[in-house]
Amino acid sequence: MIAPAFALAHIKPDIFEGLSDAEALVAAFDLSFWLRPDQQIPRTPWRTFGLQGGRGLGKSLAISFTINDRVERGEAHTIALMAPTLDRVKDVQVDFIIATSPPWFKAREHDGGVLWPNGVEAKPLTPEAPGRSRSGNYDLTWMCEIVDWQASTRWDAFQNLATATRTGRAQIIWDTTSKGKNEVIQHLNAEHRRDPLKNIIRSGTTFDNPLLSKDYLISIVSQYVKGSRRYEEEIEGKVFAESAG
């Protein structure tokens, strides 16, 4: 699957030539134009939406595009960002959101999180301090890289933040690769099996992203033995119910 922009570029290479500067600028930040079908996050009333797949699938790009769109439309007012550490919140969540925000609605870093021109804030959180979200009231939460959340605190962090995501649409977006046994990932997959319309999961492999360079693919794939469990987890995005061995 490829994004509509790339499909149209093959059919009509000069498709962008007739656009004005303003039209070209808008097209550059139209998430429905640049995201693949498997990256599209639906506007239906789901509770959790997960992008679970191999490295380089395009998970962070899809989620950050969606969050910017929700905030600009006035559909998200209180947002929580949680990654394994505050450094990862900054390097992945905050930086991706700022990079994908359009110039007419530019997000900026604020108190370790994100602030948009309309005053909406995204608060930075980490499972290293699982109790910090207890007092929050969020309508949109992004749980990032769940596979790397600290094992001793990740379940408490998940439960606290999920409970705090309780206003408005009260929706949780999450992403992860897989490695070993992780009770949060197992729970989210079980919820998907129980009610796949309320708890959506989109899965994919590293090879699903046509924008990855050949050199990157060779580099990332060569780190794992093809057919091994680590290859299936990191490249193919598979999740196993038990730890290896």
Side-chain angles (χ1 to χ4, degrees), residues 28-29 60-61 64-65 68 90-103 105-109 114 116:
F29 289 90
S60 299
L61 181 69
S64 58
F65 254 127
N68 278 311
K90 164 66 172 64
D91 294 342
V92 178
Q93 295 176 297
V94 172
D95 286 357
F96 263 92
I97 288 172
I98 292 174
T100 56
S101 63
F105 193 70
K106 196 64 181 174
R108 64 181 177 87
E109 187 174 354
V114 180
W116 284 269

Side-chain angles (χ1 to χ4, degrees), residues 28-29 31 35-36 39 51 55-69 81 83 86-103 105-109 112-116 122 142 144-145 175 209 211-212 216:
F29 289 90
L31 75 167
L35 297 182
R36 305 187 309 274
Q39 291 176 294
L51 285 169
R55 293 177 179 271
L57 181 64
K59 301 182 286 291
S60 299
L61 181 69
I63 297 170
S64 58
F65 254 127
T66 297
I67 290 176
N68 278 311
D69 182 64
L81 306 175
L86 289 177
D87 284 343
R88 294 304 289 162
V89 172
K90 164 66 172 64
D91 294 342
V92 178
Q93 295 176 297
V94 172
D95 286 357
F96 263 92
I97 288 172
I98 292 174
T100 56
S101 63
F105 193 70
K106 196 64 181 174
R108 64 181 177 87
E109 187 174 354
V114 180
L115 178 66
W116 284 269
W142 177 8
C144 183
E145 298 180 344
D175 72 80
N209 189 348
L211 298 181
L212 299 179
Y216 173 83

Side-chain angles (χ1 to χ4, degrees), residues 6 20 27 63 65 93 97 103 110 112 138-139 180 195 197 231 235:
F6 297 98
S20 67
I63 297 170
F65 254 127
Q93 295 176 297
I97 288 172
H110 175 72
Y138 305 108
D139 55 28
D195 190 342
L197 295 180
Y231 181 94
I235 304 301

Side-chain angles (χ1 to χ4, degrees), residues 163-176:
T163 301
T165 308
R166 56 195 172 195
T167 63
R169 290 187 176 185
Q171 294 185 318
I172 297 168
I173 303 175
W174 58 276
D175 72 80
T176 194

Side-chain angles (χ1 to χ4, degrees), residues 107-126:
R108 64 181 177 87
E109 187 174 354
H110 175 72
D111 287 343
V114 180
L115 178 66
W116 284 269
N118 61 357
V120 172
E121 286 188 60
K123 300 289 188 179
L125 297 165
T126 168

Side-chain angles (χ1 to χ4, degrees), residues 3-207:
F6 297 98
L8 289 171
H10 283 285
I11 298 170
K12 190 179 180 183
D14 60 349
I15 187 172
F16 298 112
E17 291 183 5
L19 299 179
S20 67
D21 290 344
E23 289 171 332
L25 186 61
V26 170
F29 289 90
D30 184 349
L31 75 167
S32 65
F33 197 51
W34 294 102
L35 297 182
R36 305 187 309 274
D38 58 301
Q39 291 176 294
Q40 298 281 350
I41 299 178
R43 305 177 68 81
T44 54
W46 42 265
R47 168 60 174 168
T48 65
F49 181 94
L51 285 169
Q52 180 175 269
R55 293 177 179 271
L57 181 64
K59 301 182 286 291
S60 299
L61 181 69
I63 297 170
S64 58
F65 254 127
T66 297
I67 290 176
N68 278 311
D69 182 64
R70 293 273 185 94
V71 174
E72 186 178 5
R73 289 173 181 268
E75 297 174 353
H77 305 89
T78 52
I79 300 169
L81 306 175
M82 181 174 281
T85 64
L86 289 177
D87 284 343
R88 294 304 289 162
V89 172
K90 164 66 172 64
D91 294 342
V92 178
Q93 295 176 297
V94 172
D95 286 357
F96 263 92
I97 288 172
I98 292 174
T100 56
S101 63
W104 61 85
F105 193 70
K106 196 64 181 174
R108 64 181 177 87
E109 187 174 354
H110 175 72
D111 287 343
V114 180
L115 178 66
W116 284 269
N118 61 357
V120 172
E121 286 188 60
K123 300 289 188 179
L125 297 165
T126 168
E128 295 174 322
R132 280 194 60 202
S133 64
R134 282 182 179 274
S135 59
N137 287 284
Y138 305 108
D139 55 28
L140 183 62
T141 287
W142 177 8
M143 299 181 177
C144 183
E145 298 180 344
I146 294 175
V147 67
D148 288 330
W149 287 14
Q150 185 172 306
S152 61
T153 58
R154 63 192 176 205
W155 181 248
D156 284 344
F158 169 76
Q159 285 190 311
N160 289 338
L161 186 50
T163 301
T165 308
R166 56 195 172 195
T167 63
R169 290 187 176 185
Q171 294 185 318
I172 297 168
I173 303 175
W174 58 276
D175 72 80
T176 194
T177 54
S178 184
K179 181 173 63 178
K181 186 177 181 180
N182 183 305
E183 66 274 25
V184 177
I185 298 174
Q186 296 295 330
H187 170 77
L188 289 165
N189 276 265
E191 288 293 281
H192 168 68
R193 292 189 295 270
R194 180 184 64 81
D195 190 342
L197 295 180
K198 279 292 185 182
N199 302 282
I200 301 170
I201 294 180
R202 297 268 176 82
S203 300
T205 76
T206 300
F207 304 110

